[in-house]
Amino acid sequence: MTTVNRRQALALGAGALATAASIAPAQAANDAADLIKTFTAGKLAAEGKVKLDLPEIAENGNTVPMTVSVESPMSEQSYVTEVLVVGDGNPNGGMARFHFSPLSGAAEANTRIRLAATQNITAVAKMNDGSFYTASKQVKVTIGGCGG
């Protein structure tokens, strides 16, 4: 049987505390740019055709109404296949992903999103011909509803 004296016990305790203190809590890095890059497969998304309807100021970031729509005839020849919505201020950048087909009739989706802080919301639309369109809008999130 191995015995541990008081000095060894204190040294083990101090070592354990030092190890625990050196391990920083996991910080979630926002991955919005990576999500967009993966979604577009590195292609550049052109400005236009995508419309983001968001309030300029959200007094409650827990439930922010959002509408994203894309100009498209939604015919068999030209239609929107997917729309990715990301935010650069949340711990995780991904917010929503919508799938469409010509049977959808219109490329429009409504939902509510949760915003941790003031941030830019970006929507990227993928068309059936492989092209991408994007739009961004900043939403200011206030705490306590002061509007500032």
Side-chain angles (χ1 to χ4, degrees):
M1 178 171 160
T2 305
T3 59
V4 178
N5 65 27
R6 188 174 137 205
R7 286 184 184 225
Q8 290 173 328
L10 287 173
L12 285 172
L17 283 174
T19 302
S22 68
I23 299 173
Q27 297 280 332
N30 185 286
D31 57 351
D34 292 337
L35 290 171
I36 292 172
K37 190 174 180 179
T38 301
F39 183 71
T40 62
K43 292 182 181 177
L44 194 61
E47 292 283 331
K49 291 194 176 188
V50 179
K51 182 182 174 191
L52 267 173
D53 188 15
L54 289 158
E56 195 170 307
I57 297 175
E59 293 184 3
N60 182 1
N62 288 325
T63 176
V64 179
M66 178 191 75
T67 300
V68 59
S69 58
V70 183
E71 288 178 32
S72 171
M74 295 304 283
S75 64
E76 290 290 335
Q77 293 76 32
S78 177
Y79 61 95
V80 179
T81 59
E82 289 182 79
V83 174
L84 173 71
V85 181
V86 298
D88 63 3
N90 282 355
N92 292 319
M95 294 184 162
R97 194 170 189 156
F98 304 103
H99 298 270
F100 299 98
S101 74
L103 297 176
S104 300
E108 181 175 316
N110 303 308
T111 189
R112 293 187 178 271
I113 58 176
R114 187 173 188 175
L115 303 177
T118 297
Q119 59 188 286
N120 295 310
I121 308 300
T122 302
V124 183
K126 180 180 182 181
M127 310 300 282
N128 68 321
D129 64 358
S131 61
F132 295 91
Y133 294 93
T134 187
S136 292
K137 187 170 184 178
Q138 185 182 52
V139 178
K140 295 179 182 175
V141 176
T142 62
I143 297 173
C146 296

